[in-house]
Amino acid sequence: LTAFDVTTVATDGSRAEVYVAAANFSSTAQSVRLTVTRGAAVVATRTVEIGAGETYRDVMAVPSAGDAPAHILAVVQAKTHINKAL
């Protein structure tokens, strides 16, 4: 996981955009599952194939109501887990 940012896009605070970038530094393609949560609720998820030496970038529209912090969890097929809280 090389980048993560959350920006509110609605004036009433009800919607946000999550920017995520994940790089594959290995010599083979990797299947990566990205899940964005707010508290215990999953608000977005993607499973992507990232080629060797490539970077995946995405902007996900998510609801932003509530006080719980946003998290992103990247689960790589090789059983590596990265959890970053904002």
Side-chain angles (χ1 to χ4, degrees):
L1 188 62
T2 57
F4 177 64
D5 193 24
V6 180
T7 304
T8 301
V9 294
T11 56
D12 64 358
S14 65
R15 289 179 302 137
E17 289 181 342
V18 174
Y19 171 78
V20 61
N24 177 5
F25 297 103
S26 76
S27 59
T28 59
Q30 298 290 319
S31 179
V32 177
R33 181 173 175 212
L34 301 168
T35 303
V36 178
T37 62
R38 176 165 286 286
V42 173
V43 294
T45 188
R46 304 275 191 282
T47 300
V48 296
E49 185 82 9
I50 304 175
E54 294 183 358
T55 300
Y56 170 81
R57 295 173 182 86
D58 196 2
V59 176
M60 304 174 198
V62 298
S64 65
D67 296 332
H71 289 78
I72 189 159
L73 175 64
V75 181
V76 180
Q77 201 171 40
K79 307 292 187 219
T80 301
H81 297 275
I82 302 165
N83 192 1
K84 180 177 180 181
L86 289 182

